[in-house]
Amino acid sequence: MRPLALAAVVATVVATMVFGVRAQNPPAQGGSAAAPASTPGQTTQPARGRATGADPYANNATPGTQTFPLAAAAGKDSNARMVAPMGAANQGPFDPATWKYGPAFHPPPGAKVWNPVKLKMMQGGKVTGGTFFGAGDASTYCAMANAGYDFIWTEMQHDQRDWETAARIWRTCPHAKAVPGVRVAYADEREIQHALDAGALVVVVPTIDTVEEAIAARNWTYFPPLGRRSAGGGQAFDAAMWGGVPGGYRNTVNDNIVLILMIETLEGLKNSDEIAKVPGVTALFAASGDLGNFSGFRQGTPDYERAINIVHDSTLKAGVRLCGPIAWRDRPDFTCFQAGSETAAISRGVAAELGPLANTQAKPEVGPFAERR
């Protein structure tokens, strides 16, 4: 009797599990539990929070049931390089130079800008970015992000943090008052796509010397057709970040990214007119420290001021924004600023809070604090 009893118990458990699975995954309308097969040019509705992509067959829930009517026949050369399928927008021999980009990722008609930094720039307002420099904890970042800045300039050029840390910090409070921004190390596919896939909406690229570097920065920042950003996914596509924006992240993000290129060298000054004209560039940043570093002159001297004015003139000719340090908020035509670091903000905040009580510590005559100034 014992084997029979054991078998009955097992059968009961299995039946319960099957019923539970069916309850969690109810059959599609019409009685079939299988998801409908995709048809060419159509995608099934993605699960909530899941990113959509260019491939309508990405989620094949029923292997062996889908058909691909426009696919090449097995073992046969389709001659697709020379002849397009009937109804294709691009006819004749395949040629990237004449390719007509398709409408799959066009923003919806009337789509509005949802990045407040981009919107404020378009409205002519002055934009500020607080510099998140040395801290690695999300609580400090989120406090800065809700302190009043427009974006947070997360420092990835001079600080030691890695992209995993940056991504973790950004996803802690993605919808804070200040949007996630970053200064990457250089105009590089890995650097910029790590930043964007993690959710950055403001990208600052340092030491741009040539038009070629400016184009590279633009290419890795924007999706086609303007750039060459790969649609590889990342937390930026999640519903908790930008996956739920009106019109969809992939379709609207090109209109919402802010790309700031830094002019820091004599070579950058030489080419700044053409750099500013690269399509997709939102602003040039006149680098206050490094323009002195590379020119050998300090702020206020004629040679230094000439360098800053060259960047100024380039932005006027190109019709893009002009950025600099927050100390230059009163310079003519500067409307985009990098503010101080988290440590500087803490010092200023404490001084403002304590007023005359700040730095009034007692001075012992002995011990480790006796020499404190």
Side-chain angles (χ1 to χ4, degrees), residues 74-99:
K76 183 179 179 181
D77 188 331
S78 68
N79 198 29
R81 187 174 296 277
M82 300 304 297
V83 180
M86 184 178 298
N90 293 277
Q91 293 291 327
F94 173 76
D95 184 359
T98 60
W99 186 267

Side-chain angles (χ1 to χ4, degrees), residues 60-348:
N60 186 350
T62 54
T65 65
Q66 291 190 0
T67 60
F68 301 84
L70 296 178
K76 183 179 179 181
D77 188 331
S78 68
N79 198 29
R81 187 174 296 277
M82 300 304 297
V83 180
M86 184 178 298
N90 293 277
Q91 293 291 327
F94 173 76
D95 184 359
T98 60
W99 186 267
K100 300 172 185 174
Y101 193 74
F105 302 106
H106 288 176
K112 296 182 178 180
V113 171
W114 47 265
N115 177 0
V117 177
K118 187 65 173 284
L119 182 62
K120 191 174 182 181
M121 284 184 157
M122 293 168 61
Q123 293 172 343
K126 292 188 175 184
V127 171
T128 59
T131 306
F132 191 64
F133 195 95
D137 60 293
S139 59
T140 303
Y141 171 86
C142 292
M144 283 195 75
N146 282 305
Y149 301 108
D150 294 297
F151 70 96
I152 298 300
W153 175 307
T154 304
E155 183 56 50
M156 298 295 285
Q157 181 189 16
H158 291 294
D159 190 64
Q160 307 305 313
R161 70 171 60 88
D162 56 28
W163 284 112
E164 183 178 3
T165 301
R168 172 178 55 79
I169 289 169
W170 292 347
R171 68 174 172 261
T172 303
C173 51
H175 301 157
K177 294 177 182 178
V179 308
V182 63
R183 174 161 66 176
V184 297
Y186 45 93
D188 171 77
E189 179 177 9
R190 183 181 187 276
E191 284 287 293
I192 295 175
Q193 295 205 21
H194 269 61
L196 293 166
D197 290 346
L201 293 178
V202 178
V203 177
V204 183
V205 187
T207 326
I208 297 294
D209 290 340
T210 65
V211 172
E212 289 73 22
E213 287 178 343
I215 291 173
R218 186 276 311 279
N219 282 349
W220 304 130
T221 297
Y222 292 95
F223 282 120
L226 179 57
R228 297 188 61 195
R229 180 183 172 190
S230 171
Q235 67 184 30
F237 292 81
D238 293 346
M241 290 200 81
W242 320 128
V245 297
Y249 176 76
R250 169 62 182 87
N251 291 52
T252 63
V253 71
N254 273 12
D255 293 331
N256 284 275
I257 287 291
V258 172
L259 175 61
I260 302 171
L261 304 184
M262 299 189 73
I263 304 299
E264 309 190 66
T265 67
L266 301 182
E267 189 72 13
L269 290 173
K270 174 185 173 183
N271 298 310
S272 62
D273 280 1
E274 297 308 314
I275 289 170
K277 294 176 184 176
V278 171
V281 173
T282 312
L284 294 189
F285 191 107
S288 57
D290 265 321
L291 279 173
N293 178 40
F294 283 95
S295 71
F297 292 92
R298 295 190 181 278
Q299 184 174 170
T301 62
D303 294 88
Y304 181 95
E305 297 301 325
R306 180 184 186 186
I308 303 302
N309 289 341
I310 287 173
V311 183
H312 167 274
D313 296 348
S314 295
T315 61
L316 288 185
K317 294 171 190 173
V320 298
R321 294 286 169 178
L322 177 58
C323 302
I326 191 68
W328 291 358
R329 68 182 78 185
D330 296 325
R331 274 185 182 260
D333 296 321
F334 277 79
T335 59
C336 165
F337 306 99
Q338 179 192 16
S341 67
E342 68 275 28
T343 53
I346 291 170
S347 296
R348 290 193 302 270

Side-chain angles (χ1 to χ4, degrees), residues 1-11:
M1 293 297 292
R2 246 178 228 176
L4 289 174
L6 179 61
V9 170
V10 171

